[in-house]
Amino acid sequence: MQKKLFVFDCDGVLTVDKSSWGFLHEYFGSRDNSYFAELYRKGVISYLDWMKIDIALMIHSYGKPIKKSEVENALSKIKLRNTAKRVVDEIKKKGHYTAIVSSGVDLLVKRVCSELGVDICLYNELYFYNDELVPGGVARVPLREKKEVVLNLASSLSVNRENVVYVGDSEWDIEIFKSVGVSIAVEPCGKACQHAKYVVRDLDKILELGLI
């Protein structure tokens, strides 16, 4: 049996909420401005620039410094999909690698990884100074570079891209869908649905595809 690498996006795939960044915007009263998303998409600003702008918007809208505990409290309200643990457990039982590669927030992704027992977790990191959130961080998984992150991970594990199974849900995942052996889109997935080999509504349907 060839050992496979199952890579999951986090937001909207393993969790019920579509975006940890969007969730934080709503929680702290800021507006998730699609204008800056478009600037990033066009390459006008970097992903780190976008992170800085997003965080500055949150702090400004909140009207006072945001403590790390407040960010953790906000993200604690994001729930896992009911079948996520079963799916990860079954994949690991068969001896395959499991990973989360997410452009979401580290404080959420770390929790999801811990609760699900995922082998490898890659994410973007927030920056706190004196326990207060400040604009900046570490952009380990920029959205436009996720494909390279996934393929580099596979290479580091000596897994051919034909043996990579990627599970995503957004247009940012389309290029990854085109680059791996098996692509799975989790509904709702918009235009990404059109580019995946399989489309599922419930995560546990992955176990019925004969991939493990």
Side-chain angles (χ1 to χ4, degrees):
M1 181 195 74
Q2 286 280 0
K3 194 164 187 174
K4 295 179 181 178
L5 169 62
F6 284 75
V7 182
F8 295 85
D9 183 25
C10 185
D11 297 0
V13 172
L14 297 172
T15 67
V16 176
D17 290 275
K18 289 290 288 181
S19 169
S20 50
W21 285 103
F23 191 90
L24 289 178
H25 273 293
E26 184 175 345
Y27 187 90
F28 293 113
S30 53
R31 185 160 61 98
D32 189 5
N33 198 327
S34 59
Y35 172 73
F36 298 108
E38 190 58 30
L39 289 182
Y40 172 70
R41 191 188 307 276
K42 293 177 178 177
V44 178
I45 61 174
S46 69
Y47 193 81
L48 183 56
D49 290 334
W50 190 12
M51 285 177 66
K52 290 177 179 177
I53 293 167
D54 264 12
I55 293 166
L57 284 172
M58 291 177 202
I59 297 169
H60 176 74
S61 298
Y62 198 52
K64 59 182 179 180
I66 297 174
K67 299 289 186 181
K68 184 176 182 179
S69 60
E70 293 175 302
V71 179
E72 290 172 332
N73 180 62
L75 295 173
S76 71
K77 302 180 187 307
I78 295 180
K79 305 302 181 186
L80 292 176
R81 286 181 179 257
N82 291 333
T83 56
K85 176 66 172 167
R86 178 179 169 232
V87 171
V88 171
D89 284 349
E90 290 297 320
I91 292 169
K92 293 181 69 174
K93 278 182 190 176
K94 298 294 185 179
H96 301 299
Y97 296 112
T98 57
I100 293 176
V101 176
S102 171
S103 296
V105 178
D106 59 332
L107 295 179
L108 172 66
V109 181
K110 287 177 183 178
R111 172 168 68 85
V112 173
C113 282
S114 176
E115 291 184 14
L116 298 183
V118 173
D119 299 315
I120 302 158
C121 298
L122 301 174
Y123 41 74
N124 295 315
E125 191 171 332
L126 299 180
Y127 180 60
F128 295 90
Y129 179 75
N130 289 339
D131 208 40
E132 293 178 357
L133 180 65
V134 296
V138 182
R140 292 195 177 91
V141 189
L143 278 168
R144 286 192 288 121
E145 297 168 34
K146 270 183 84 173
K147 181 183 81 171
E148 286 71 28
V149 174
V150 170
L151 295 180
N152 287 340
L153 173 60
S155 178
S156 73
L157 296 170
S158 299
V159 175
N160 295 329
R161 66 172 65 191
E162 292 77 18
N163 289 318
V164 176
V165 180
Y166 183 80
V167 188
D169 72 327
S170 79
E171 61 183 288
W172 297 103
D173 297 315
I174 292 173
E175 289 305 311
I176 310 174
F177 285 169
K178 295 176 180 178
S179 304
V180 300
V182 179
S183 54
I184 303 171
V186 180
E187 294 181 318
C189 44
K191 66 171 69 173
C193 290
Q194 304 166 26
H195 297 270
K197 182 172 183 179
Y198 302 105
V199 178
V200 300
R201 177 165 293 278
D202 299 311
L203 271 183
D204 57 354
K205 294 299 181 184
I206 294 172
L207 303 177
E208 301 174 10
L209 300 177
L211 301 174
I212 65 172

